[in-house]
Amino acid sequence: MPKAYEVIADDLRRSIRAGERGPGDRLPSETDLARYYRRSVPTVQNALRLLSAEGLVDRRHGRGTFVRRPRTVAVRDNGRHQWEKDRARKAPAERAGTGATEHDTGLCQRDLVFHAQYREVSAPRDLADAFGVPVGTALLERTYRTHCATESAPFSLVTSYLVRDLIAANPALLDETNEPWPGGTQNQLYTVGVEVARVEERVTARPPAPEEARELDLPAGTPVLLLRKTSYDINDRVVDISDVTLPGDRTELLFTTPLERW
Amino acid sequence: MPKAYEVIADDLRRSIRAGERGPGDRLPSETDLARYYRRSVPTVQNALRLLSAEGLVDRRHGRGTFVRRPRTVAVRDNGRHQWEKDRARKAPAERAGTGATEHDTGLCQRDLVFHAQYREVSAPRDLADAFGVPVGTALLERTYRTHCATESAPFSLVTSYLVRDLIAANPALLDETNEPWPGGTQNQLYTVGVEVARVEERVTARPPAPEEARELDLPAGTPVLLLRKTSYDINDRVVDISDVTLPGDRTELLFTTPLERW
DNA sequence: GAGTGGTCTAGACCACTGT
DNA sequence: CAGTGGTCTAGACCACTCC
């Protein structure tokens, strides 16, 4: 037996996919849809909730239900790591463009609003294992919110971890007021004699936790991309672990893998 | 004013995060929760639906609502491309392990159920642009479903496109009954004189379409990872485009970026 | 103030699961 | 079979948006 709300959702979905309703169009009100389909309002709402979870429509309180338009995406390219490394040893003036974020987005530092917060924590189990240090080792936890100046919602939430003893040789690295640091993390590590030899990135996706949805201003149903970036130095030691939370609807990750020639 | 269903969801969420309810535990029935919180059943259901969309619980018809346990993940490593290339020129016996899927999963071909279907299509706009060919050019569309033999749901849906003229020199490549082809796509391309020089992968996440949720057996709220893989030959020509749909809760993508030494 | 989506109720019935 | 989640109703009231 076909469920009423699925019948309604199917019909609306079809009309959207067929282009009868274009991006940005407003759907009829819930009461109108209820009249049209001869169903109760909650049943219509079930259908709309389903379409919202599928990312097809956006329900906005007091305004209406709209066909969602594809978001403009920010591309995050793994070429950023080599790009940042190339700049890490340059003079401060040449590193003025901060880190790799500007490289990705094509924006300059003026267009970005940047918020950093440092905190000292003792290593929990998973981080200690990843760094290869004892549980409880002092870590520097650095959290970043990067906004586009023209938008309210940040496009990434980043938490980076460094082993405190590794960077303590340069006290400036412990002071959050030095952010944004010209040249990014790779330059920071360079000041304490560390050269990054390779970067590993692990990507998964999951639904956002409520606070993530709030901070990234995610519409209902939009997942987050979770990226754990691990940087290794030339001795294969883990020197930085960063957890990056990205809005799934505005982010594209680009990875290029060159292959050896025959 | 705090909304009733959010109050309930917050309380249940807290109890799950605090470990009072462990993975696999069953929550009280909806009517019991309604009695406990002194709310109507639909209100309790709103709360449970929210937690389900967050991926915290799994509601199973006729059985109950359970705290979701983290899925075991399949890792997809970009080292797979070099690995596959290294084998592409080997003798058939040495390529017996098929393509890169076995490399990723650590499973051998016996453990995998493999389903391939070939179809000839004419290039739509986006694919034509990506290949650098005119719209309408004949393409070979190959769709794959790969199951783990012990599970019913496939862990990836793959659609691969090749320019038909490029591979027509080897008619065996047009016949789906030759799948699974030992050595994978890179060996197939090798038989028509193509060497893959680099692979680009673009990753995004979004909620699953209904048929994707069905095919991958995704619980409500689980997003899919979408990966578009583009293979370039040594002349920078696009030789293969593959769209890969992966269940967000069971997949981890691993990308390693080596950096040049100072 | 008019119109929209959001929440909530009380109760009914159905569909699925396991005993 | 009893117990569970799933669907649905008819109507009420609230909160938000925009005129």
Side-chain angles (χ1 to χ4, degrees):
Chain A
M1 203 227 303
K3 285 168 251 172
Y5 78 99
E6 281 187 351
V7 171
I8 299 173
D10 286 349
D11 189 52
L12 293 172
R13 195 186 294 114
R14 184 204 50 73
S15 74
I16 292 170
R17 292 216 177 128
E20 292 164 27
R21 306 177 192 276
D25 284 2
R26 216 197 72 190
L27 270 56
S29 76
E30 297 181 348
T31 51
D32 283 353
L33 288 171
R35 258 196 297 274
Y36 176 75
Y37 289 109
R38 301 171 173 279
R39 293 293 174 176
S40 72
V41 167
T43 299
V44 167
Q45 287 174 322
N46 265 339
L48 293 178
R49 184 158 28 215
L50 185 59
L51 296 178
S52 173
E54 288 169 16
L56 279 181
V57 304
D58 205 1
R59 304 168 75 196
R60 282 189 279 178
H61 197 161
R63 298 192 51 193
T65 301
F66 301 84
V67 178
R68 198 180 285 180
R69 58 180 76 243
R71 296 293 300 261
T72 53
V73 299
V75 177
R76 185 183 195 278
D77 174 0
N78 72 333
R80 77 208 308 271
H81 304 125
Q82 184 66 52
W83 184 92
E84 191 181 278
K85 179 164 183 175
D86 291 343
R87 269 157 193 70
R89 289 189 302 172
K90 298 226 167 129
E94 289 186 79
R95 300 186 250 117
T98 314
T101 308
E102 291 78 5
H103 176 242
D104 287 341
T105 55
L107 301 168
C108 72
Q109 205 172 325
R110 264 197 319 281
D111 300 325
L112 294 170
V113 183
F114 191 83
H115 183 255
Q117 194 176 341
Y118 284 18
R119 197 164 68 101
E120 206 162 299
V121 300
S122 79
R125 188 51 188 253
D126 62 325
L127 287 173
D129 287 353
F131 275 115
V133 299
V135 172
T137 302
L139 302 180
L140 182 67
E141 178 191 86
R142 314 178 299 168
T143 64
Y144 302 90
R145 303 284 112 105
T146 310
H147 291 244
C148 193
T150 57
E151 293 190 20
S152 57
F155 54 80
S156 71
L157 314 177
V158 181
T159 307
S160 160
Y161 296 93
L162 302 167
V163 175
R164 194 192 177 285
D165 284 352
L166 179 71
I167 54 161
N170 182 359
L173 296 181
L174 301 174
D175 180 0
E176 69 189 25
T177 64
N178 290 322
E179 293 278 2
W181 185 283
T185 298
Q186 286 207 46
N187 177 264
Q188 294 179 313
L189 289 169
Y190 169 62
T191 68
V192 291
V194 171
E195 174 182 355
V196 177
R198 82 176 195 279
V199 176
E200 274 185 11
E201 292 168 290
R202 293 169 181 275
V203 180
T204 58
R206 60 162 171 71
E211 64 269 27
E212 291 168 336
R214 207 184 47 248
E215 282 212 84
L216 295 171
D217 191 28
L218 296 175
T222 304
V224 293
L225 283 164
L226 265 194
L227 187 152
R228 167 161 283 200
K229 180 186 111 193
T230 307
S231 301
Y232 294 81
D233 76 355
I234 57 177
N235 302 315
D236 225 35
R237 180 178 51 162
V238 174
V239 292
D240 176 50
I241 296 176
S242 295
D243 286 317
V244 186
T245 307
L246 300 158
D249 61 344
R250 289 172 262 165
T251 310
E252 181 175 278
L253 306 175
L254 169 60
F255 296 95
T256 303
T257 308
L259 302 181
E260 292 165 20
R261 286 293 305 276
W262 281 333
Chain B
M1 200 227 302
K3 285 167 253 173
Y5 78 99
E6 281 186 353
V7 171
I8 299 173
D10 286 348
D11 189 53
L12 292 173
R13 194 187 295 113
R14 184 204 50 73
S15 74
I16 291 170
R17 289 212 179 134
E20 293 166 26
R21 305 176 192 279
D25 283 2
R26 213 196 75 188
L27 269 57
S29 76
E30 297 181 348
T31 50
D32 283 352
L33 288 171
R35 257 196 297 275
Y36 177 75
Y37 289 109
R38 300 173 172 280
R39 293 292 173 175
S40 72
V41 167
T43 299
V44 167
Q45 288 175 321
N46 266 341
L48 294 178
R49 182 156 32 213
L50 185 59
L51 296 177
S52 173
E54 288 168 16
L56 278 181
V57 303
D58 206 0
R59 305 169 74 197
R60 284 189 278 176
H61 198 161
R63 299 191 51 194
T65 301
F66 300 84
V67 178
R68 197 180 285 180
R69 57 180 77 244
R71 297 294 300 260
T72 51
V73 297
V75 176
R76 186 183 193 278
D77 173 1
N78 72 333
R80 75 208 310 271
H81 304 125
Q82 184 65 53
W83 184 89
E84 191 181 278
K85 179 164 181 173
D86 291 343
R87 295 162 68 95
R89 289 189 303 173
K90 301 227 166 125
E94 289 186 77
R95 303 184 249 116
T98 314
T101 306
E102 291 78 5
H103 175 242
D104 287 341
T105 55
L107 301 168
C108 74
Q109 205 172 324
R110 262 198 321 280
D111 300 324
L112 294 169
V113 182
F114 190 85
H115 183 253
Q117 192 175 345
Y118 284 19
R119 197 163 68 102
E120 207 162 299
V121 300
S122 78
R125 187 51 186 257
D126 63 323
L127 287 173
D129 287 352
F131 275 115
V133 299
V135 172
T137 302
L139 303 179
L140 182 67
E141 179 192 87
R142 314 178 298 168
T143 64
Y144 301 90
R145 302 286 113 105
T146 311
H147 291 244
C148 193
T150 58
E151 294 191 17
S152 58
F155 55 79
S156 71
L157 315 177
V158 181
T159 307
S160 160
Y161 296 93
L162 301 167
V163 175
R164 194 191 178 285
D165 283 354
L166 179 72
I167 54 161
N170 182 358
L173 297 180
L174 302 175
D175 180 0
E176 68 189 27
T177 63
N178 290 321
E179 294 277 3
W181 184 283
T185 298
Q186 287 207 46
N187 177 265
Q188 293 179 314
L189 289 169
Y190 169 64
T191 67
V192 291
V194 171
E195 174 182 355
V196 177
R198 81 174 196 280
V199 176
E200 274 185 11
E201 291 168 291
R202 293 167 182 276
V203 180
T204 58
R206 59 161 172 71
E211 64 269 29
E212 291 169 336
R214 207 185 46 250
E215 281 211 85
L216 295 171
D217 191 27
L218 295 175
T222 304
V224 293
L225 283 164
L226 266 192
L227 186 151
R228 167 161 285 200
K229 180 186 111 191
T230 309
S231 301
Y232 294 81
D233 76 356
I234 56 177
N235 302 314
D236 225 35
R237 181 178 52 163
V238 174
V239 293
D240 175 51
I241 296 176
S242 296
D243 287 317
V244 185
T245 306
L246 300 158
D249 61 344
R250 288 173 263 164
T251 310
E252 181 175 276
L253 306 176
L254 168 61
F255 296 95
T256 303
T257 308
L259 301 182
E260 294 166 19
R261 285 292 306 275
W262 280 334

